Amino acid sequence: MEKQNYNHLTRTFQRLSRFGHLSAIAGWDMFTYMPPKGSAARGEALAELSVLQHQILTDKKIATLLQAAAQEDLNDVERANLREMTRRYQEAVLLPESLVEEKSLVGTRCEHGWRTQRPANDWQGFATNLKEVVRVSREEARLRAEAKGKSRYDALLDLYEPGMTSAKLDVLFGDLRTWLPDLLQKVVAKQSQRSMITPVGPFATGTQRELGLEIMQLLGFDFDGGRLDVSAHPFCGGVPEDVRITTRYDENDLVSSLFGVIHETGHARYEQNLPREWLGQPVAHARSTAIHESQSLFFEMQLGRSTAFLRLLLPKIIARFGAQPAFDVQNFVALNQRVERGYIRVDADEVSYPAHVVLRYEIERALIEGDIEVEDIPALWDEKMQHWLGLSTKDNYRNGCMQDIHWTDGAFGYFPSYTLGAMYAAQLFNAAKRALPQLESDVAEGNFTPLFDWLSQNIWQHGSRFTTSQLIANATGEDLNPLYFRKHLEARYL
């Protein structure tokens, strides 16, 4: 039997992918090089593009084609592609065109305002825009929840992490609560007995950039299919054929931008190694946001903060910035495995990081469910920061609830992906070590080929062919098991 209906769908999704390509590059430009006065026009152009994609995806004939294609003789990959096509159609058809356009417009406005409001600590100005984003996001959540028979927050969570629910998260995060605060306290106490020397800057941003590019090359980034730039908040964007990653530089802090680059390179390697023969089809997309975060945290934390990698990195730093007491090897390793209670999530060590994520998960869920309002965020943020990390953010919005852009575009439901990603990363690294007995010595010698081949075979090349549970079980022999994350933290820090 011919695959006439399925083939028609692949052509439609290829077209959608091309519009998505334009949207991704226009979005990257907006965050990097676009002059401030271009914001309103760019926002309208991106909104127009999102409406066009929505119209194509929700055309009445798509439903008929999906049903007919399900009866055709498809192989395993085609059937997985059809499953992902169906999912994308079902998600899109729940929203009216007007809401898709409005969400894009209010998100662009909020993010653009944030760029000047954050440095000015202007919560009132930010809150005015954020209220509009929350209003639109609540309406989206209501429509999705009613159609899916889920809670409003779960309906949004499902967009980022298919199959995940608040009930499952509450179990995973509830377990964290039983041991993480105690572990954090023990590690901080243990490390306080050792004095560490902090590197003395300034570290020229041009030289930091050169170092970042060198490390990206070491980690296998394909510069013929991507580039590194600067933005207010680090991110990985673009498309698999043209991956754009960004960082931000501080002349007094060498490692913040460097590990930001390593983190985003993890995202980028995943994108650059998605199944090329299926690009343009939903099955070639990254499996989920938690799997995506698992790749960046695999690079930044599991690999990047390992003693073997830090020892490999140090001579490259000395070659560019010269020797100083802080660059003694023992001190350098200790410094980059230091655990501190801090305000900023993207700069947090891997022990305190989950606290930042659970805090936001609890706030954003209450916000979407309508249990709290935007005005309540600062006080709740302060209360939860004090509970988890013993820090107050009272009146310090810049380093508190305004520190990054995740809420500006209505990405509610994304935050749990970071800690789920950390758990997946620990489980994957454990499986890689079992499969590659020479891994530590390979890393020490700068030979990453066996590790990246393992990741490619087990994660990257599959795209969205399998569900998240299947993908992880195939790679590690079991579904998500948070015990690996705990064991990793205890082994490295205690």
Side-chain angles (χ1 to χ4, degrees), residues 361-378:
Y361 158 64
E362 291 172 348
I363 292 176
E364 72 174 17
R365 183 171 71 169
L367 194 61
I368 291 301
E369 297 291 0
D371 299 333
I372 62 168
E373 297 301 329
V374 169
E375 291 85 353
D376 301 320
I377 294 174

Side-chain angles (χ1 to χ4, degrees), residues 310-329:
L310 290 169
R311 284 174 173 272
L312 180 72
L313 188 58
L314 184 57
K316 300 176 189 304
I317 290 174
I318 294 170
R320 292 192 182 274
F321 295 101
Q324 56 169 284
F327 295 157
D328 163 77
V329 65

Side-chain angles (χ1 to χ4, degrees), residues 226 268 280 442:
D442 281 343

Side-chain angles (χ1 to χ4, degrees), residues 95-107 109 129-144 152 156 367-368 374 407-412:
L95 303 185
E97 200 175 287
S98 57
L99 189 67
V100 172
E101 181 177 33
E102 190 177 18
K103 184 179 181 183
S104 183
L105 287 168
V106 299
R109 194 178 307 129
N129 289 333
L130 186 61
K131 281 177 193 171
E132 288 298 291
V133 174
V134 170
R135 176 182 60 78
V136 172
S137 298
R138 281 176 173 172
E139 177 61 10
E140 177 186 355
R142 182 187 68 78
L143 292 169
R144 293 192 184 286
R152 294 183 181 189
L156 296 185
L367 194 61
I368 291 301
V374 169
W407 286 341
T408 62
D409 65 352
F412 297 103

